[in-house]
């Protein structure tokens, strides 16, 4: 797989058939332009070019969604990051909308092999790749409700310590991971209803907590194994 950050620069970040031919000549059989993967028109265009040149195509996209006002990812020390929490409906709705559109295109153009999700974190406040546990108010509140706990007024930076002091750290981790797994499972099932051979690819590998604990078991199937992408060449 070649994730192209270079060739398209001479064409205002739009991939051309000449680029696809050059990538194939260099020995690659899968092309993934770094830009354009969330634009259905551009996805169809590159998929068609790949198919015409005996290549496969995977559409590159972020595995996170930026926000300055929504439910943000919160780290154990209380600082947040300008992306939606992994427990936010908005994030999973966007992932589903984008990936299912890719899957539908793959039925039209078989060279469209999958969605390439990049979980590298460049957002303000970022500390490590997406995603580790979030300590956002919603998930902490949902956990307390599910366990029948009385949750005191806690500042963002006090939530992780309170959970640990009360002996709930392990249970909180399991609760949050299970929520991710349920969401990931529903998304994979929705993809399978369109194209059960459609691949989901994740970077980095081996991956973050979200990838190893939720996407490993839920996004890989016998017909479409989860592809772990690394930058090692």
């Amino acid at each position: 797989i070649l994730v192209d950050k270079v060739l398209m620069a001479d064409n205002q970040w739009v991939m051309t058939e000449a680029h696809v031919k050059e990538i194939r000549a260099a020995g690659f059989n899968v092309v993934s332009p770094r830009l354009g993967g969330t634009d259905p028109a551009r996805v169809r265009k590159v998929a068609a070019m790949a198919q015409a040149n005996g290549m496969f195509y995977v559409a590159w996209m972020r595995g996170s969604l930026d926000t300055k006002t929504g439910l943000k990812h919160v780290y154990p020390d209380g600082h947040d990051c300008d992306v939606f929490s992994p427990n936010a409906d908005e994030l999973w709705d966007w992932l589903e909308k984008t990936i299912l559109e890719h899957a539908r295109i793959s039925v039209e153009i078989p060279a469209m092999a999958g969605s390439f999700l990049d979980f590298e974190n460049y957002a303000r406040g970022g500390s490590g790749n997406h995603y580790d546990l979030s300590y956002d108010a919603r998930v902490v509140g949902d956990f307390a409700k599910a366990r029948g706990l009385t949750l005191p007024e806690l500042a963002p930076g006090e939530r992780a310590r309170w959970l640990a002091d009360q002996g709930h750290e392990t249970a909180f981790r399991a609760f949050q991971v299970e929520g991710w797994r349920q969401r990931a499972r529903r998304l994979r099932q929705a993809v399978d209803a369109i194209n059960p051979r459609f691949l989901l690819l994740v970077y980095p590998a081996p991956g973050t907590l979200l990838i190893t604990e939720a996407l490993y078991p839920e996004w890989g199937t016998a017909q479409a194994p989860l592809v772990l992408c690394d930058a090692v060449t």
Side-chain angles (χ1 to χ4, degrees), residues 7 45 54 57 68 103 149 155 199 210 216 220 226:
L7 297 178
K45 181 179 179 181
Y57 164 53
K68 293 187 180 297
L149 304 175
L199 297 172
L210 171 72
Y216 273 26
L226 180 67

Side-chain angles (χ1 to χ4, degrees), residues 5-233:
K5 298 182 176 184
V6 178
L7 297 178
M8 294 186 299
D10 70 356
N11 192 43
Q12 298 181 333
W13 303 107
V14 176
M15 182 158 278
T16 67
E17 188 161 12
H19 295 139
V20 175
K21 290 179 183 295
E22 185 173 352
I23 291 166
R24 182 184 180 186
F28 297 93
N29 69 337
V30 185
V31 61
S32 185
R34 172 59 179 72
L35 296 174
T38 57
D39 179 345
R42 291 182 68 172
V43 169
R44 281 187 173 85
K45 181 179 179 181
V46 177
M49 288 191 298
Q51 184 153 305
N53 287 277
M55 296 275 284
F56 291 102
Y57 164 53
V58 292
W60 185 97
M61 60 184 287
R62 285 277 173 218
S64 59
L65 184 64
D66 292 349
T67 184
K68 293 187 180 297
T69 58
L71 182 71
K72 295 183 181 183
H73 179 70
V74 178
Y75 293 95
D77 65 3
H79 88 275
D80 60 36
C81 183
D82 283 351
V83 294
F84 277 106
S85 161
N87 308 299
D89 294 338
E90 293 90 340
L91 169 64
W92 289 93
D93 288 348
W94 176 77
L95 290 174
E96 180 174 310
K97 177 183 176 182
T98 306
I99 293 170
L100 293 189
E101 181 62 23
H102 291 167
R104 283 188 284 268
I105 293 170
S106 77
V107 175
E108 303 170 24
I109 310 172
M112 174 76 185
S115 299
F116 187 117
L117 287 94
D118 186 335
F119 289 92
E120 202 164 354
N121 186 358
Y122 293 100
R124 181 218 58 85
S127 179
N129 294 323
H130 307 299
Y131 278 103
D132 207 326
L133 295 179
S134 176
Y135 293 85
D136 57 86
R138 181 181 299 172
V139 72
V140 174
D142 287 348
F143 171 75
K145 183 178 179 179
R147 302 276 291 191
L149 304 175
T150 299
L151 188 66
E153 289 290 333
L154 297 169
E158 297 173 332
R159 295 168 189 159
R161 174 52 57 191
W162 182 83
L163 289 164
D165 289 345
Q166 298 298 311
H168 301 310
E169 199 169 25
T170 300
F172 176 72
R173 181 186 188 276
F175 176 84
Q176 189 164 170
V177 167
E178 178 57 27
W180 298 345
R181 287 193 62 174
Q182 290 177 10
R183 292 175 183 270
R185 186 179 312 133
R186 287 195 295 268
L187 197 157
R188 181 70 245 188
Q189 290 170 345
V191 170
D192 287 345
I194 299 169
N195 180 359
R197 294 178 61 83
F198 189 78
L199 297 172
L200 296 174
L201 305 88
V202 294
Y203 167 86
T208 61
L209 186 69
L210 171 72
I211 295 172
T212 61
E213 297 300 315
L215 305 190
Y216 273 26
E218 302 297 343
W219 274 10
T221 70
Q223 292 192 72
L226 180 67
V227 181
L228 305 180
C229 300
D230 198 359
V232 174
T233 59

